[in-house]
Amino acid sequence: MRLSRAAFFFAVLVFAAPHAAVAEEVRRPQTVVIGLDMSKSNPLVEDSAYAARVAQRTAAEIGDLPLKSRVMLRTFGSYDTNANALKIDEVISARSKPQAVAEGMSAIIAAVPHLVAEGKLNAQEYTNVVSFLETMSQVVDCETSEVHVILLTDGFEDSEYARLARGGSLPAPEKLYPGCAELTMLGLGQGGGSPTATKRVREQWTDWAEKAGFEKFTGLYDW
């Protein structure tokens, strides 16, 4: 029996509708936290070529987010809220499309060395990565959205918690991010001067991320 053209298209729509709904359910909103390490040890604060490269990589991570996803950009370094005043939040919508948000965030990241040189952002003496992650754990919810934390950092914690560059170890964390998707560090080990230093700091953060509850850790020296 041959179907009429109208019946054929009706059958296609009926079959495709539930599959489209499933695909839409899989694409649940995401929360992406972008942390800019403003410590002087991080090349992001003074190397324009490096800043442009890490900006491009970050944009690639957020250029295809589903609707209602949230992108939060913050600076960190010293344990001082006045030193880290840059806070930008965007929600993906029909007006704020993911590619436009990605380009905006990328432009800010690429401009960091210029903003530091002009005194609009401050290069800082300490690297409080752990305390930044502790703080941000209070404003994300891994049950309602897929959470991806992206830190543009050398990863060398330099605070009262640890002095990683001097051979120290990170403190064991509480379960701050249970079920959260991923912690990514771009530039991990930069400035450390050796692959063994990069390997050691990557091992420290891999262990920390697992204990904190992240499902995945990615630490890239280069890409």
Side-chain angles (χ1 to χ4, degrees), residues 3 18 52 64 67 89 162 166 191:
L3 292 174
D64 188 35
L67 287 174
D89 292 86
R166 303 177 191 175

Side-chain angles (χ1 to χ4, degrees), residues 47-156:
D47 187 333
S48 295
Y50 177 81
R53 193 153 55 90
V54 78
Q56 185 178 34
R57 175 58 192 253
T58 305
E61 297 283 350
I62 61 176
D64 188 35
L65 293 174
L67 287 174
K68 298 183 180 179
S69 293
R70 184 182 181 190
V71 182
M72 309 165 66
L73 186 145
R74 302 287 189 272
T75 54
F76 67 91
S78 299
Y79 193 67
D80 179 358
T81 56
N82 292 326
N84 296 291
L86 184 59
K87 295 178 173 64
I88 299 172
D89 292 86
E90 291 281 357
V91 176
I92 303 300
S93 66
R95 290 187 175 183
S96 298
K97 296 186 182 300
Q99 193 58 46
V101 172
E103 289 174 359
M105 295 294 181
S106 177
I108 294 169
I109 296 167
V112 166
H114 181 67
L115 295 172
V116 170
E118 288 189 334
K120 294 178 180 177
L121 288 177
N122 296 321
Q124 298 170 29
E125 300 293 338
Y126 296 97
T127 313
N128 281 271
V129 186
V130 172
S131 62
F132 175 74
L133 288 168
E134 288 174 339
T135 298
M136 297 310 296
S137 72
Q138 303 299 305
V139 296
V140 299
D141 184 353
C142 299
E143 292 185 0
T144 59
S145 69
E146 181 176 325
V147 175
H148 186 186
V149 180
I150 304 172
L151 304 185
L152 313 187
T153 179
D154 56 19
F156 287 111

